[in-house]
Amino acid sequence: MRLVFSLLLVPALFAQGSARPVQTFQTKAGELKITPVRHATLLIEAGGKALFVDPWIQGNYEGLPKADMILVTDIHGDHMDVKAIEAVKKSGTQIYAPAAVAATVKDAVVIHNAESKTAGAFTIEAVPMYNLKRGPSEGKFYHDKGRGNGYVITYAGQRIYVAGDTEGVPEMRALKNIDVAFIPMNLPYTMTPEEAADAVKAFKPKVVYPYHYRESDIKAFAAALTGTGTEVRLLNWYY
């Protein structure tokens, strides 16, 4: 089933106190909302549950619900932030993370690359995220294969892919039936906008959002996907 999008926001600067750029979708099990919080942090709400991905203390959490679930992608501070996790969690919050994160976030349930977990009406699949060529020095990568997870989050048959810090790895390019994708682009840690667009062309999500982009040219990303059949939606993650 294709998602029906009831709210589309174009790029804009959101002043402090203004409305968040919430994206609302209708699914066969009811409404699903996705709220960009900041940088790589997003909130998914559906079925009365709140799921945060990579809560980071630089985000504004005022007015947002406490987390029923938290997904953490990697050990870097803009993804694994213990203070932010404590700020959004509540009694009974389920945390899912790779083993490298669970070494610090002790109450996390470990989910390995290619593994799946079921949490109520949600299914969470861990997708490898890593660098193919970029690193701090010769022979080293910013993100080693096997250390971090991207995630495919399925709710009511709808598949949402949050890539994490990665280049256009084969596991991303091989994904199928993705309704919504969040794809990073910032150098030197992940990809250029053009490289990100090339990866998106391989797995053809219905809708894609650039995120974790900092000063990257997201309009170049959108231009590179013109005519591909994938709808590009540009939101401001740094309001």
Side-chain angles (χ1 to χ4, degrees):
M1 177 184 290
R2 187 183 179 95
L3 287 172
V4 178
F5 294 88
S6 59
L7 177 63
L8 172 61
L9 297 174
V10 296
L13 293 177
F14 291 83
Q16 186 174 4
S18 65
R20 298 176 186 271
V22 178
Q23 303 291 280
T24 304
F25 313 108
Q26 297 301 322
T27 78
K28 62 186 179 183
E31 187 174 83
L32 181 148
K33 296 194 299 182
I34 301 178
T35 303
V37 179
R38 184 170 181 84
H39 186 54
T41 306
L42 59 93
L43 165 66
I44 298 172
E45 296 174 87
K49 301 296 183 181
L51 185 158
F52 280 92
V53 181
D54 286 344
W56 188 29
I57 205 64
Q58 290 192 22
N60 175 12
Y61 299 91
E62 183 178 358
L64 298 181
K66 294 293 185 179
D68 294 289
M69 287 173 280
I70 298 172
L71 306 183
V72 183
T73 62
D74 194 36
I75 60 174
H76 289 163
D78 55 339
H79 300 275
M80 183 187 72
D81 186 329
V82 174
K83 289 183 178 179
I85 290 171
E86 290 299 319
V88 302
K89 70 186 291 192
K90 62 184 180 181
S91 177
T93 297
Q94 298 172 293
I95 304 173
Y96 298 94
V101 169
T104 299
V105 183
K106 300 295 187 181
D107 53 346
V109 173
V110 173
I111 180 169
H112 299 287
N113 285 179
E115 191 175 11
S116 296
K117 301 285 187 184
T118 299
F122 293 84
T123 300
I124 300 160
E125 305 167 59
V127 180
M129 48 145 279
Y130 55 96
N131 287 108
L132 293 167
K133 59 184 178 180
R134 293 189 171 97
S137 61
E138 184 68 26
K140 294 185 177 181
F141 296 113
Y142 290 114
H143 307 91
D144 294 317
K145 186 174 182 179
R147 188 184 77 198
N149 293 328
Y151 295 102
V152 174
I153 302 151
T154 302
Y155 175 83
Q158 309 306 318
R159 288 162 58 78
I160 301 164
Y161 172 50
V162 184
D165 277 10
T166 188
E167 294 183 53
V169 297
E171 294 89 345
M172 176 196 293
R173 301 174 76 92
L175 290 171
K176 305 293 184 185
N177 303 316
I178 299 297
D179 292 291
V180 180
F182 292 86
I183 302 297
M185 54 201 73
N186 69 309
L187 295 181
Y189 304 105
T190 61
M191 298 180 277
T192 67
E194 293 78 10
E195 289 169 344
D198 182 69
V200 168
K201 290 175 185 177
F203 71 96
K204 300 179 177 65
K206 292 182 174 72
V207 177
V208 65
Y209 296 88
Y211 88 137
H212 194 287
Y213 57 78
R214 294 192 186 274
E215 302 301 321
S216 299
D217 185 356
I218 57 176
K219 291 183 179 179
F221 171 76
L225 288 168
T226 300
T228 62
T230 292
E231 180 183 352
V232 181
R233 298 190 177 186
L234 306 180
L235 302 180
N236 181 15
W237 292 73
Y238 301 94
Y239 58 95

